Amino acid sequence: GLDPAGPLFQYTPTTVRLDPSDAKFVDIIHTHAGHLFFDFAPGILQTCGHLDFYPNGGKKMPGCRQLRVPPANRSINDLMREYRSIGCGHKRSLRYYAESILNPNGFVGYRCETYQAFVLGDCFPCPKEGCPLMGHYADQFSHKTEKEQQKVYLNTGPSPPYARWRKEIHVRVSAAETMKGNIDIALTGANGIRRKYTIDKGTFKPGNTYLNYIDTEVPGNISKVEFLWKKHLGHTDRGCMGAEEVTIISGEN
């Protein structure tokens, strides 16, 4: 199901909408889900498959502008005609699926109860049975029909290629005293792609470890890791902040 229709179908009986009984395996990609008259969203929000993938939370896709809530007196037919002309988020489901055919391991999904829990890293890394892949290879997941309505979350990029790889980054800092600034790291892949990410910002104490979860566009093995420190303006200390250790944990199968 590629962002299945929500208006007139959401929270209706299973006899009139897509549900797990419709096939041996039903998987859904929700990309512009919501309640139509409140969110102006054409996609169904409720879980309706064995695996329900919610990239970026399923409601707002990076790279797509959000539509303003229309007047309440507009008919549903008028709303859908207007939406079809600019339905960026709705069409993302097709684009993700197409890219997954050639780049399956860039769409690893993490089974989690909420998107917020996923963002906080509560469902990272993949469990011993592995993680499902959003898109063309979702049927390769061995536990795909173990339960119905399994919520799966992941993040994507705002433009092609959309695939991202989730990493857990730990940085143990070294300094003579507590300092204020930004901790960044730069990752370089075997293919030469280099990207910078902020791990934390604020006040840092020597010997403490700080962590964050990033969704990087750098595929495959990481060939180089750089620690970058940016002192906050107005901080008078002239000392240096360094990294005793940087640990990268991959979340893929």
Side-chain angles (χ1 to χ4, degrees):
L2 297 175
D3 204 36
L8 306 182
F9 291 97
Q10 187 148 255
Y11 305 123
T12 58
T14 56
T15 53
V16 297
R17 63 167 173 81
L18 187 61
D19 77 279
S21 71
D22 291 329
K24 291 182 178 179
F25 171 52
V26 177
D27 72 298
I28 314 295
I29 301 177
H30 302 265
T31 54
H32 197 163
H35 304 90
L36 181 70
F37 296 106
F38 298 99
D39 306 324
F40 196 24
I44 195 166
L45 182 62
Q46 72 179 118
T47 51
C48 50
H50 292 97
L51 293 177
D52 283 79
F53 293 89
Y54 293 87
N56 312 295
K59 295 181 179 181
K60 301 177 182 179
M61 297 301 105
C64 292
R65 67 180 180 86
Q66 288 306 113
L67 300 174
R68 292 179 299 176
V69 177
N73 60 356
R74 297 284 294 281
S75 73
I76 189 171
N77 290 329
D78 289 339
L79 297 178
M80 293 312 294
R81 273 194 296 270
E82 182 175 338
Y83 184 83
R84 277 194 293 269
S85 66
I86 51 175
C88 174
H90 192 46
K91 295 172 184 175
R92 275 290 196 268
S93 58
L94 285 71
R95 300 185 188 281
Y96 296 159
Y97 188 95
E99 188 177 315
S100 76
I101 296 173
L102 298 177
N103 203 358
N105 67 351
F107 295 96
V108 174
Y110 298 85
R111 289 182 292 172
C112 227
E113 279 305 307
T114 66
Y115 182 60
Q116 182 64 20
F118 161 76
V119 169
L120 294 174
D122 293 351
C123 308
F124 182 95
C126 293
K128 61 181 180 180
E129 63 268 24
C131 282
L133 299 169
M134 183 179 75
H136 190 64
Y137 299 99
D139 63 339
Q140 293 185 355
F141 183 53
S142 59
H143 294 262
K144 59 183 179 292
T145 56
E146 181 180 72
K147 295 186 297 183
E148 296 179 355
Q149 302 176 359
Q150 300 180 69
K151 296 179 181 179
V152 187
Y153 296 96
L154 66 156
N155 283 332
T156 69
S159 58
Y162 298 107
R164 293 294 183 268
W165 288 263
R166 174 149 275 227
K167 308 288 186 184
E168 180 180 306
I169 311 291
H170 297 251
V171 179
R172 188 166 72 240
V173 297
S174 174
E177 61 178 286
T178 297
M179 299 179 69
K180 294 181 179 180
N182 288 12
I183 291 177
D184 296 341
I185 64 161
L187 303 179
T188 303
N191 55 4
I193 294 177
R194 179 184 182 272
R195 295 292 185 271
K196 187 176 77 170
Y197 305 93
T198 296
I199 302 303
D200 206 345
K201 57 181 67 176
T203 302
F204 302 99
K205 295 182 179 181
N208 282 7
T209 298
Y210 301 89
L211 74 89
N212 203 349
Y213 296 88
I214 64 171
D215 298 285
T216 178
E217 56 265 63
V218 180
N221 294 327
I222 304 299
S223 62
K224 183 180 180 181
V225 179
E226 301 167 69
F227 172 83
L228 306 170
W229 166 254
K230 183 177 181 181
K231 185 169 62 176
H232 282 179
L233 293 175
H235 191 57
T236 58
D237 183 79
R238 296 183 179 181
C240 294
M241 175 69 74
E244 288 185 19
E245 183 179 13
V246 177
T247 303
I248 302 175
I249 300 174
S250 296
E252 293 86 24
N253 299 352

